Amino acid sequence: MNNQTTRIGATRDEWSHFDLVLGVGSALLPVVANQKATISDRSSLKKIGKTPSKYNKEGHISGFTEWPKHHATDKDISDWSDQPDYGICVITRQIRGIDADINDPVLSAEVQAFIADHLGIKLPKRYRSN
């Protein structure tokens, strides 16, 4: 578990934005984003950063049990936003996402602009360095 102040996951402001501005708080879940963290021996989780997950009492990663049924509370979001290793997952019960894995930064910008232009709004985005 990350005990330092280094934030690998989402910021408190990002959690708040998804909860209060976008209004999707109940659809949020944590995902451990720290690639150096250890997956619990008791967990069936295979990869870090893709599936809803959290730290267990021993400080190891375990999958988030029955996550499709979970409806996040204000306390959940407050607790998760305090953990600097937790990124944000959004359950797509009512929310949809567009996944565009494009390595070319110029083409990626063009696709983002096209989508925003077509929908008439600028959507929140998540990206990686690669």
Side-chain angles (χ1 to χ4, degrees):
M1 185 170 1
N2 185 348
N3 292 324
Q4 302 170 353
T5 58
T6 304
R7 187 164 284 272
I8 295 170
T11 66
R12 288 178 184 89
D13 286 345
E14 289 166 332
W15 283 96
S16 180
H17 180 79
F18 274 79
D19 180 22
L20 303 175
V21 176
L22 298 178
V24 297
S26 69
L28 301 181
L29 288 170
V31 58
V32 177
N34 184 351
Q35 296 295 309
K36 294 180 181 176
T38 303
I39 297 174
S40 171
D41 292 339
R42 296 185 308 269
S43 177
S44 61
L45 195 64
K46 300 294 179 218
K47 283 189 146 193
I48 297 172
K50 289 279 189 181
T51 306
S53 54
K54 56 187 178 177
Y55 287 118
N56 62 22
K57 293 176 185 172
E58 291 82 36
H60 297 127
I61 304 172
S62 17
F64 198 104
T65 308
E66 297 190 18
W67 64 263
K69 297 177 184 177
H70 191 80
H71 292 267
T73 65
D74 290 342
K75 180 171 179 359
D76 288 334
I77 294 168
S78 176
D79 291 348
W80 298 334
S81 70
D82 284 342
Q83 173 46 256
D85 282 356
Y86 287 174
I88 299 172
C89 280
V90 181
I91 299 174
T92 57
R93 289 183 194 110
Q94 297 172 319
I95 302 154
R96 301 295 180 252
I98 299 169
D99 185 5
D101 295 329
I102 302 170
N103 293 328
D104 181 321
V106 173
L107 181 58
S108 177
E110 289 174 7
V111 169
Q112 290 176 49
F114 173 81
I115 292 169
D117 212 37
H118 182 72
L119 295 177
I121 58 172
K122 186 175 180 182
L123 298 173
K125 64 182 175 182
R126 174 183 159 253
Y127 56 91
R128 330 182 267 265
S129 61
N130 64 350

